[in-house]
Amino acid sequence: AAGSSGVGRIKEGAKGAGGALTAAASASGLSVPGMEQEPPMKVCPCCPALSYKQRLIGCACCMLIGALLSLGSFLSFAKLLLGNPVPFALKYTLGNILSLGASSFLVGPARQCRTMFAKERRAASLAYLLTLAGTLLSIFWLRLAILALLFILLQFAALTWYMLSYIPYGRALASRLVRRQLVRHGVLSPATAPIRPAVEPS
């Protein structure tokens, strides 16, 4: 009898663990045998209906291709220095667009735009879009390598400032670090740095 009750407890524990695993997989969007698949849904009226798994795959593919393009652009850095910014700027810009648009698979383009143009990110988003357009314009229309390089640097700065808005105190820490380096190299006078309270001599 004791052996039978022990076997019964093991079976009950196995069923409980299996139920917990199925619930965890369902919550994380993973697929396990026998688990009911989430029906396709639209994250935006202008987008096709996709399941959660399909949206995850789309997001991951966009991020991966964007990262590969952005990193691959540095293979063309020598051409940039020689006065041909087209390969570097084109791959770097397209890589950034794909990486930023990856989250649209999860939340939809409309919500992505609302997030980008929230009050704390509006200036950085506008600066990024303007420098992105300026980069492409200087490459394909104006054909000015120096101007393209300038827009690439500004694009990188705007994208960095935008990404820091998602990190708690990220912008404040970055501003403090930049200000400290400018003071150290004499670009910024110590008078404009934050004033610390004076300590009275003991």
Side-chain angles (χ1 to χ4, degrees), residues 85 88-90 92-94 96-97 100 116-117 121-140 142 144-162:
F88 179 87
L90 188 60
Y92 183 76
T93 301
L94 290 179
N96 285 341
I97 293 174
L100 279 178
M116 287 183 64
F117 290 97
R121 302 185 185 95
R122 189 176 302 155
S125 298
L126 286 174
Y128 174 73
L129 293 176
L130 289 175
T131 53
L132 188 150
T135 302
L136 298 177
L137 187 67
S138 60
I139 291 173
F140 296 108
L142 300 176
L144 295 175
I146 298 298
L147 188 60
L149 177 60
L150 176 61
F151 276 121
I152 289 170
L153 295 175
L154 293 175
Q155 184 184 151
F156 175 76
L159 181 61
T160 302
W161 192 249
Y162 171 81

Side-chain angles (χ1 to χ4, degrees), residues 9-62:
R9 290 177 182 175
I10 293 175
K11 289 182 178 180
E12 290 178 0
K15 289 180 180 179
L21 177 61
T22 302
S26 177
S28 60
L30 298 176
S31 176
V32 296
M35 187 180 73
E36 184 180 357
Q37 297 294 325
E38 178 190 351
M41 61 173 293
K42 288 187 175 184
V43 293
C44 185
C46 60
C47 298
L50 298 173
S51 66
Y52 185 65
K53 182 178 180 180
Q54 290 172 328
R55 298 200 302 272
L56 281 178
I57 292 174
C59 177
C61 287
C62 273

Side-chain angles (χ1 to χ4, degrees), residues 161-174:
W161 192 249
Y162 171 81
M163 299 301 293
L164 285 173
S165 67
Y166 289 95
I167 303 174
Y169 305 104
R171 287 180 170 180
L173 292 174

